Amino acid sequence: MIEIKDVNKYFGSLHVLKDINNQVKQGEVLVIIGPSGSGKSTLLRCINLLEDITSGEILFKGKKINDPEVNITQIRQEIGMVFQHFNLFPHKSVIENITLAPEKVKGLDLEEAREIALNLLERVGLKDKADNYPDQLSGGQKQRVAIARALAMQPEVMLFDEPTSALDPEMVGDVLEVMKELAKDGMTMIVVTHEMGFAREVADRVIFMDGGQIVEEGTPERIFNNPCEKRTREFLSKVL
Ligand code: ADP
Ligand code: MG
């Protein structure tokens, strides 16, 4: 589904992604872990075309997407993203947040878009909040709306950048539960998270990044029980 080939990214003279190579198969759940500043967000942002890469290639379903000819809006419909800080539109109701892009970008009529939105709200357990505004919701509820909003575009891949890091602890479980369900339904997912329990349970594969590099990768059992690299062991000893 996604192929990352020899990707390098600089911010000015800062080398943030160093020769990244990886592939994500359809239906696979890839979890990326690593210390702050290691390039995890930048990698997701490059895949979603929020950042351009300095060199290398990113392929989506076999087609190069880091190309000036590519329709960025189209790619972002197919590769949804959920951020740490939700980024909901504050002056729109929950349901309007979800119907906006399907109407404006996909050209659905309001009734169709509302039906999809209500189904998604039901799926994330928030159907009764459809007419509330974001500031009337808890952090965990906002994040579940953000997930529903991304899903409304019917993406083929979902990227999650520390979706629970800004939440009070008691809100984390509900959001992870929604993500688990999504994984179970076969969604292709790349998840940056510090939730090691989630990684163990849901990931097909875990990547440990440090200093802009993939230091090691493997099954969650292997990475958590038997890390090969000193840097991975040091990181895990701090977070587990
Ligand atoms: P992580 O998500 O793993 O914490 P990031 O991808 O956010 O790491 O950042 C990797 C490095 O790139 C950090 O040194 C960060 O300061 C730098 N960086 C990220 N975004 C920018 C930017 N827009 N301009 C300059 N430097 C950036
Ligand atoms: Mg980050």
Side-chain angles (χ1 to χ4, degrees):
M1 184 79 87
I2 293 177
E3 276 184 79
I4 301 162
K5 292 187 179 174
D6 298 322
V7 164
N8 284 276
K9 169 71 180 172
Y10 287 78
F11 287 112
S13 60
L14 188 65
H15 198 179
V16 184
L17 296 177
K18 300 174 182 167
D19 287 320
I20 302 289
N21 281 286
N22 222 274
Q23 298 188 354
V24 183
K25 294 195 197 84
Q26 178 159 14
E28 191 177 19
V29 178
L30 173 64
V31 167
I32 304 177
I33 61 172
S36 178
S38 56
K40 307 180 299 295
S41 295
T42 304
L43 181 58
L44 289 192
R45 293 171 61 83
C46 288
I47 294 170
N48 195 236
L49 304 179
L50 290 167
E51 300 281 356
D52 54 358
I53 58 179
T54 309
S55 66
E57 281 189 353
I58 300 178
L59 309 186
F60 173 55
K61 294 191 287 186
K63 191 167 159 263
K64 184 172 161 182
I65 57 172
N66 59 308
D67 184 303
E69 302 287 296
V70 129
N71 180 340
I72 291 184
T73 310
Q74 173 70 33
I75 297 299
R76 293 220 190 106
Q77 285 182 48
E78 296 181 55
I79 305 178
M81 183 148 171
V82 173
F83 303 88
Q84 186 174 347
H85 292 290
F86 334 125
N87 303 351
L88 296 178
F89 305 113
H91 303 297
K92 295 202 177 289
S93 68
V94 162
I95 191 149
E96 287 165 351
N97 263 276
I98 301 173
T99 55
L100 185 70
E103 279 187 83
K104 295 273 185 278
V105 181
K106 281 204 150 170
L108 297 193
D109 64 47
L110 181 59
E111 268 321 298
E112 244 178 315
R114 280 184 64 89
E115 194 181 322
I116 291 171
L118 287 170
N119 279 331
L120 287 167
L121 281 172
E122 184 151 40
R123 205 162 143 192
V124 301
L126 292 172
K127 202 169 183 181
D128 57 329
K129 301 289 184 194
D131 296 318
N132 286 73
Y133 282 78
D135 68 5
Q136 299 171 313
L137 305 181
S138 71
Q141 291 170 334
K142 281 184 218 177
Q143 192 59 296
R144 285 184 279 149
V145 172
I147 294 172
R149 182 178 61 174
L151 292 174
M153 297 303 278
Q154 297 171 308
E156 294 190 43
V157 179
M158 284 282 284
L159 311 178
F160 291 88
D161 192 1
E162 297 197 31
T164 60
S165 293
L167 302 180
D168 291 333
E170 72 269 26
M171 306 285 170
V172 169
D174 290 341
V175 172
L176 294 179
E177 202 49 49
V178 167
M179 293 167 63
K180 271 181 217 171
E181 287 299 318
L182 206 51
K184 225 190 278 171
D185 290 345
M187 179 63 81
T188 308
M189 295 166 52
I190 307 179
V191 183
V192 173
T193 187
H194 297 295
E195 293 292 332
M196 299 301 154
F198 175 86
R200 261 184 200 276
E201 189 183 333
V202 183
D204 295 303
R205 191 154 53 90
V206 174
I207 282 181
F208 171 65
M209 279 183 76
D210 192 19
Q213 289 171 311
I214 295 178
V215 174
E216 71 176 297
E217 66 172 275
T219 62
E221 299 78 59
R222 221 273 297 143
I223 294 287
F224 292 118
N225 300 342
N226 223 343
C228 300
E229 299 291 332
K230 183 159 170 278
R231 279 192 281 176
T232 316
R233 285 198 294 272
E234 281 170 0
F235 175 75
L236 290 175
S237 73
K238 286 181 205 146
V239 297
L240 284 179

